Amino acid sequence: MIKPGNHRFRSPGLSLIELIAVLAVSAVLISAAAPSMKQTVDSARLNGHADALLSALATSRTEAIRRGQSVVVCPSRDAVSCSTASEDWSTGWIIFPDPLALGNPSSPAAIIRTYQSNDTRIRATAAATLNGGIRYTAQGYSERPSGAFQAGTIAFCLPAMHAPENGRQIVIARGGRVRSSRVSVTDCS
């Protein structure tokens, strides 16, 4: 027989101690996942920037073949003209036909496509052989205005990311073909 007054009623739900324990375990798990999430977001941002340039190079080559004339993709700070003798592709680029090898669009209306970066943390540096941009001929080859072949690399990096594989590199081959690879960048300042 049950004596009156010895009844303990247990209410459904969590006690305060159980709730605190669940919150503590959740906090530990979230703090462990946060750096990994930041790395994933930074990597996606870097890949997006490099992929945008890969797309621009493919578009330039295709347009040169389609139009039957030279088309240039060059770094640009203002989305209207090329940044002359610049190795810095971080701010953006433009694509335009350049049949007379002038090195800049004949007018703003002549620009085929622009890309302006809003992420000031990403660094994109080209080899000196690509200063002034990349010119594709009507045959789809990359070459300088002088007629010499043009090849080189553009390295993308994000200073907040840590090696290994904290960067992407776009390689423009002698024939104009482009490829991308992951690289470890030691100096990303």
Side-chain angles (χ1 to χ4, degrees):
M1 183 167 145
I2 301 176
K3 294 182 183 179
N6 280 345
H7 296 284
R8 287 200 118 172
F9 291 103
R10 180 144 171 105
S11 65
L14 298 173
S15 69
L16 182 60
I17 293 174
E18 291 170 329
L19 185 59
I20 291 172
V22 168
L23 288 175
V25 169
S26 297
V28 168
L29 291 175
I30 289 171
S31 68
S36 176
M37 183 63 176
K38 182 182 180 334
Q39 185 78 8
T40 301
V41 169
D42 285 345
S43 181
R45 183 175 288 131
L46 190 62
N47 284 336
H49 205 74
D51 288 346
L53 183 56
L54 276 173
S55 175
L57 292 170
T59 298
S60 299
R61 190 175 189 196
T62 301
E63 284 293 315
I65 294 168
R66 188 179 72 76
R67 292 171 183 244
Q69 63 184 8
S70 293
V71 172
V72 172
V73 58
C74 67
S76 176
R77 288 187 173 87
D78 60 7
V80 176
S81 63
C82 292
S83 302
T84 57
S86 176
E87 297 175 356
D88 182 18
W89 290 67
S90 302
T91 56
W93 46 83
I94 57 174
I95 303 171
F96 61 94
D98 194 21
L100 302 176
L102 300 174
N104 266 306
S106 56
S107 71
I111 296 173
I112 298 168
R113 185 178 294 167
T114 65
Y115 177 85
Q116 291 302 119
S117 174
N118 57 2
D119 192 339
T120 57
R121 298 179 309 143
I122 293 178
R123 304 287 179 253
T125 308
T129 57
L130 301 178
N131 280 359
I134 301 155
R135 172 181 308 281
Y136 283 102
T137 66
Q139 293 77 31
Y141 297 116
S142 57
E143 67 179 37
R144 297 172 182 261
S146 65
F149 79 88
Q150 185 177 33
T153 60
I154 300 173
F156 292 85
C157 66
L158 191 61
M161 292 178 67
H162 300 289
E165 297 183 353
N166 64 333
R168 303 295 176 269
Q169 184 177 48
I170 294 177
V171 179
I172 296 100
R174 181 179 181 168
R177 189 179 68 90
V178 294
R179 66 180 169 85
S180 174
S181 60
R182 292 181 179 188
V183 294
S184 180
V185 179
T186 54
D187 182 23
C188 184
S189 52

